[in-house]
Amino acid sequence: MKYVSLSVQDGIAQVRLNRPDKLNALVLDTLDELISVARQLRRDRTVRAVVIAGEGPSFSAGLDIAGTLKSPGRIVRAFVPAPWRGTNKFQEACWAWRRLPVPVIAAVHGHCYGGGIQIALAADLRFATPDSKWSVLEGKWGIIPDMTGVRTLTEVVGVDVAKKLTMTAEQFSGAEAARLGLVTELSDEPVKAATAFAESLLAKSPDALAAAKRLIDGALTSSARRTFARERWEQVRLLRLPNTAILRRAVIKKEAPEFRPRARKMRLWP
């Protein structure tokens, strides 16, 4: 791959946007590679967490408009959604990370604009430097976020703040992003902090983490009654899985658990 790199060590996947000379600005090939990497990781049941960051001076300066417009035919095709997923290429490059059954942490420094902020929002948590630069930049060009950002931004900061950031396209710091709730934790070394957090999750059951992610994401669009039903289904399943017993024995014996690969996903929800 040319614009996205992947390495996995001790169950933690390190994903990097790798176009540093262009501030990791996104082209269509970047989107293809993001989707491909996410699907590869989804199939690997030994992966426990993912850290996404950018090489060079920035996380991502957003869409490379000039570079992308060189391929008008590909742009048209990229806008067409896949009927079995409900997302087009722009959207799936972000939403594919929401589909992963493991925690995804974005480590942000430098610019986080437009499509970059939408990738960061697709992660479960965001660690960022206080001086990182954020903007829902699409409004500057008379357009709107269209890489799932409308949904994820509204989930994270609420309706009024989402409208304000989208309508004004204002630039703000990582410190302000933390105040608004966009950033989970501030750090001068966000990759190091994100990796340390991912490592802390290695002591937790991978099946419980997957269930928690499914339930919390699903609760955002479900009724209370359906959420309660899903809680029951997930809990019954977890109580029967080997990793739950492995963790229980490890806690009692005060030793580090040695988990099996994450259980395969089953359609149990009503």
Side-chain angles (χ1 to χ4, degrees), residues 6-8 13-15 36-47 49-50 97 100-102 262:
L6 168 66
S7 63
V8 181
Q14 298 284 352
V15 178
S36 177
V37 169
R39 291 178 182 171
Q40 178 182 338
L41 293 174
R42 190 178 182 186
R43 292 191 296 269
D44 188 346
R45 293 188 295 122
T46 66
V47 169
V50 178
W97 303 98
L100 288 186
V102 298
R262 184 182 66 252

Side-chain angles (χ1 to χ4, degrees), residues 109-132:
H109 72 292
H111 303 84
C112 187
Y113 291 166
I117 201 172
Q118 293 179 83
I119 293 171
L121 284 167
D124 300 294
L125 306 121
R126 285 153 294 282
F127 290 67
T129 60
D131 62 351
S132 53

Side-chain angles (χ1 to χ4, degrees), residues 50 54 58 92 98 101 104 133 149 151 173 175 177 187 191 203 213 269:
V50 178
S58 291
E92 187 64 15
R98 290 287 291 267
V104 178
K133 300 175 182 178
R151 162 75 177 264
S173 68
S187 172
V191 172
K213 181 168 179 173
W269 285 0

Side-chain angles (χ1 to χ4, degrees), residues 205-212 214 237-238 241-244 261-264:
S205 166
D207 299 312
L209 294 177
R214 283 193 298 269
R237 179 172 182 252
L238 286 172
L241 289 177
N243 280 329
T244 308
R262 184 182 66 252
R264 297 184 185 280

